[in-house]
């Protein structure tokens, strides 16, 4: 049954109906659609626009429809134009004239804008909980590996000594920002468009503040055109999700590297690794590769939304029906990624001996050697040059700064004495990096506490 009876002589062409319909992807909002309709009918009754008898019929009818869809007793008609049409049609079939009064002082334009906001509000709560869980896993691991010395990299070249705990906490910081961005976007999303009607409000004496309050919004949207035209919240959330996927993708890339025999800094649990169909020795980090790959989908969803909106005149245009597939896909994808990523990280084992070995091999204490000379009064640039010569000498002789004899040091600069070996000791180099935000184990332990505190803030 089509909603636009009266004006038309014919039903919509069946194939065109499939094209026009959004039921395939909007039926997941049936609960929100029903919640919104109950709130709307309650307000209509409170304002004397419909009778208490009609309200009771509408409310009971909608609740029954909701329960039957949930139990599988009522199947959503795949030929319906959208979930709003289906629910209203089903209600009218059950309760007659009362069902036909539900749509007084409402349009599908404000209805769909409402349903998406309600649906995404739940999705945002779930996402927030997943991010909290991920940050707390990171904190646990960071605490466990607060002392594990590893090379820090720039240009993927060994650079300076850090700790594995410190490295993990860098991701915790990014995820805390993601949580903040999410909360911030929700603040702007959680305003109610219901009652804006098609675009121009209504002449009925409606109470938009009442429906907004009943549905848990912070208030009602203040411009009827904006209320039905606005999809900023979809674009904001897709942006936030894209940035989150950048973070997960970078983390995934590092895990791929760390799992390789070239690094072997970590071992993933068998339950979160895959094998090869031909190479019996293989253990692959497929989950992280998939996350890296799926980041593209989410960026694509963001582009879909931006492009869809950019040339639209106010107010509602059918183009906007495309919003749901994009934003739902972005949320579904991120949720799936996190559902696999969190337990994978939780069961991951680090191999600090291998990190330590890599740290010993890359001259990552060269800056500390130069700093030692600075401590003896040499200007930093001269100390840098002398240390560079020492590194070149070590490479030529196949030695490290730790194994180079003192006389060789002194040949290059007579300020060196026995104390240099203590100064370039990796544990000491890390332990002394206590500057704010630095990788020293004591910093890591303090930062874990700070991050845990922020992570629990609602
Ligand atoms: N199915 C539509 C959507 O998802 C419903 C909105 C109203 N449609 C309309 N032609 N005014 O956007």
């Amino acid at each position: 049954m089509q909603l636009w009876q009266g004006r038309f002589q014919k039903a919509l062409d069946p194939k065109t109906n499939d094209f026009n319909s959004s039921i395939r992807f909007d039926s997941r909002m049936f609960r929100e659609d029903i919640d919104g309709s109950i709130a709307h009918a309650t307000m209509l009754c409170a304002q004397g626009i419909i009778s208490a008898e009609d309200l009771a019929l509408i409310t009971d009818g909608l609740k029954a429809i909701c329960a039957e869809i949930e139990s599988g007793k009522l199947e959503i008609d795949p030929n319906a134009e959208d979930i709003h049409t289906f629910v209203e049609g089903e209600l009218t079939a059950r309760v007659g004239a009362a069902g036909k009064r539900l749509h007084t002082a409402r349009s599908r334009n404000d209805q769909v804008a409402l349903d998406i906001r309600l649906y995404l509000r739940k999705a945002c709560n779930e996402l927030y909980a997943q991010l909290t869980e991920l940050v707390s896993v990171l904190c646990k691991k960071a605490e466990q590996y607060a002392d594990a010395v590893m090379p820090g990299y720039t240009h993927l070249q060994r650079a300076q000594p850090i700790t594995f705990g410190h490295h993990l906490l860098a991701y915790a910081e990014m995820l805390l920002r993601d949580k903040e961005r999410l909360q911030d976007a929700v603040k702007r999303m959680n305003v109610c468009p219901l009652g804006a009607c098609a675009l121009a409000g209504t002449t009925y004496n409606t109470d938009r503040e009442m429906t907004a309050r009943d549905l848990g919004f912070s208030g009602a949207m203040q411009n009827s055109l904006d209320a039905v035209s606005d999809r900023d919240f979809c674009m904001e959330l897709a942006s936030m999700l894209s940035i989150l996927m950048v973070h997960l993708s970078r983390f995934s890339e590092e895990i791929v590297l760390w799992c390789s025999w070239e690094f072997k800094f970590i071992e993933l649990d068998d339950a979160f690794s895959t094998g090869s169909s031909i190479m019996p020795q293989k253990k692959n980090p497929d989950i992280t590769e998939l996350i890296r790959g799926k980041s593209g989908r989410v960026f694509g969803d963001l582009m879909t939304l931006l492009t869809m909106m950019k040339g639209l005149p106010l107010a509602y245009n059918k183009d906007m029906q495309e919003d749901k597939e994009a934003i739902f896909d972005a949320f579904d994808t991120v949720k799936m990624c996190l559902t696999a990523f969190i337990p994978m990280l939780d069961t991951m084992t680090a191999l600090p001996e291998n990190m330590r070995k890599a740290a010993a091999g890359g001259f990552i204490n060269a800056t500390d050697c130069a700093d030692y000379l600075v401590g003896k009064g040499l200007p930093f640039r001269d100390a840098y040059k002398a240390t560079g010569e020492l590194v070149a000498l070590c490479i030529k002789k196949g030695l490290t700064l730790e194994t180079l004899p003192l006389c060789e040091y002194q040949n290059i600069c007579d300020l060196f004495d026995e104390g240099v070996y203590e100064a370039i000791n990796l544990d000491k180099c890390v332990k002394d990096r206590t500057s704010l935000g630095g990788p020293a184990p004591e910093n890591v332990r303090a930062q874990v506490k700070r991050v845990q505190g922020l992570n629990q803030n609602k």
Side-chain angles (χ1 to χ4, degrees):
M1 200 266 296
Q2 268 147 12
L3 290 174
W4 53 79
Q5 289 165 355
R7 166 82 164 77
F8 287 77
Q9 310 294 324
K10 283 186 187 175
L12 190 62
D13 168 71
K15 286 211 169 67
T16 305
N17 185 54
D18 292 344
F19 177 67
N20 191 51
S21 163
S22 52
I23 197 80
R24 262 187 307 113
F25 46 84
D26 68 14
S27 57
R28 63 162 87 190
M29 304 192 301
F30 74 89
R31 286 188 196 84
E32 290 72 24
D33 195 73
I34 287 171
D35 289 347
S37 288
I38 291 175
H40 180 65
T42 306
M43 181 279 292
L44 290 179
C45 178
Q47 295 299 102
I49 301 168
I50 62 169
S51 68
E53 296 75 53
D54 281 347
L55 173 63
L57 285 169
I58 290 171
T59 307
D60 293 348
L62 288 172
K63 283 184 178 161
I65 290 171
C66 190
E68 288 175 32
I69 296 175
E70 277 173 348
S71 72
K73 189 172 160 209
L74 175 62
E75 218 180 289
I76 295 175
D77 177 6
N79 295 313
E81 188 187 345
D82 53 31
I83 190 63
H84 328 294
T85 312
F86 174 75
V87 172
E88 191 188 320
E90 184 63 30
L91 179 69
T92 302
R94 292 177 186 213
V95 305
K100 294 186 190 169
R101 293 198 177 99
L102 171 61
H103 213 56
T104 314
R106 185 178 72 169
S107 152
R108 276 184 304 160
N109 297 349
D110 55 340
Q111 193 178 355
V112 69
L114 170 73
D115 292 3
I116 309 172
R117 284 167 196 260
L118 289 174
Y119 183 89
L120 292 182
R121 199 165 66 187
K122 277 188 210 154
C124 288
N125 282 337
E126 283 174 30
L127 174 62
Y128 196 82
Q130 279 191 305
L131 291 177
T132 301
E133 197 190 339
L134 177 52
V135 172
S136 84
V137 169
L138 277 170
C139 284
K140 187 175 84 181
K141 294 276 164 189
E143 174 98 57
Q144 188 181 353
Y145 299 114
D147 301 283
V149 176
M150 74 180 273
Y153 296 79
T154 63
H155 313 271
L156 207 52
Q157 302 285 323
R158 291 173 194 167
Q160 290 185 333
I162 57 169
T163 48
F164 191 49
H166 188 60
H167 198 116
L168 294 176
L169 283 181
Y171 285 105
E173 296 289 339
M174 300 179 217
L175 291 160
L176 286 179
R177 289 196 294 273
D178 290 324
K179 286 180 66 175
E180 241 181 80
R181 263 187 287 273
L182 175 59
Q183 273 181 316
D184 197 49
V186 167
K187 235 186 282 161
R188 279 182 292 279
M189 175 175 73
N190 198 31
V191 192
C192 189
L194 184 62
C197 304
L199 75 161
T202 179
T203 55
Y204 288 100
N205 176 31
T206 53
D207 184 351
R208 291 193 54 217
E209 297 291 351
M210 177 184 173
T211 42
R213 217 180 316 113
D214 284 0
L215 291 165
F217 286 100
S218 64
M221 294 183 78
Q222 296 295 307
N223 180 298
S224 65
L225 280 177
D226 178 50
V228 289
S229 304
D230 172 42
R231 294 294 183 273
D232 287 1
F233 61 100
C234 294
M235 295 184 278
E236 279 197 66
L237 286 169
S239 308
M240 175 269 141
L241 293 172
S242 295
I243 297 173
L244 166 60
M245 284 305 289
V246 170
H247 296 155
L248 292 182
S249 184
R250 294 182 76 178
F251 202 171
S252 292
E253 168 62 15
E254 295 210 296
I255 291 172
V256 170
L257 286 172
W258 293 340
C259 284
S260 69
W261 283 107
E262 282 68 17
F263 281 81
K264 260 294 167 250
F265 285 0
I266 59 165
E267 187 73 40
L268 294 181
D269 193 89
D270 282 359
F272 297 96
S273 309
T274 52
S276 155
S277 62
I278 172 171
M279 298 168 281
Q281 86 284 11
K282 289 299 286 292
K283 179 171 169 183
N284 297 329
D286 279 25
I287 292 173
T288 45
E289 292 166 41
L290 257 180
I291 291 172
R292 205 173 50 185
K294 280 183 190 289
S295 60
R297 287 181 75 106
V298 180
F299 308 160
D301 292 328
L302 172 61
M303 279 310 128
T304 298
L305 289 163
L306 293 171
T307 313
M308 179 194 87
M309 292 304 291
K310 84 173 183 64
L312 293 187
L314 304 187
Y316 179 84
N317 299 269
K318 188 77 171 193
D319 316 42
M320 290 157 75
Q321 178 162 287
E322 293 284 304
D323 58 358
K324 286 169 284 300
E325 275 175 295
I327 193 66
F328 293 163
D329 179 70
F331 268 96
D332 292 349
T333 303
V334 168
K335 184 179 179 172
M336 265 195 307
C337 289
L338 287 170
T339 302
F341 192 78
I342 296 168
M344 183 205 70
L345 197 69
D346 199 19
T347 53
M348 166 195 91
T349 337
L351 302 169
E353 333 68 72
N354 293 349
M355 295 178 181
R356 179 66 201 219
K357 243 182 268 160
F363 301 102
I364 63 176
N365 45 6
T367 315
D368 301 273
C369 179
D371 287 342
Y372 164 86
L373 289 177
V374 170
K376 298 274 181 190
L378 203 61
F380 180 76
R381 271 292 151 240
D382 295 332
Y384 173 100
K385 181 160 175 278
T387 308
E389 286 169 24
L390 285 167
V391 169
L393 183 68
C394 286
I395 291 170
K396 204 167 101 197
K397 290 180 172 278
L399 295 172
T400 64
L401 288 173
E402 288 88 336
T403 53
L404 188 72
L406 184 59
C407 57
E408 301 278 14
Y409 275 97
Q410 290 168 334
N411 281 345
I412 285 176
C413 176
D414 56 13
L415 289 172
F416 280 113
D417 60 33
E418 272 298 332
V420 69
Y421 296 107
E422 162 74 357
I424 59 164
N425 174 279
L426 280 179
D427 292 301
K428 183 180 164 3
C429 294
V430 165
K431 213 163 95 249
D432 288 352
R433 286 187 143 71
T434 54
S435 59
L436 178 64
E442 66 175 272
N443 283 29
V444 172
R445 290 192 185 93
Q447 291 290 354
V448 165
K449 294 218 166 62
R450 180 188 137 268
V451 172
Q452 278 168 336
L454 291 171
N455 192 37
Q456 292 319 318
N457 279 351
K458 268 281 142 201

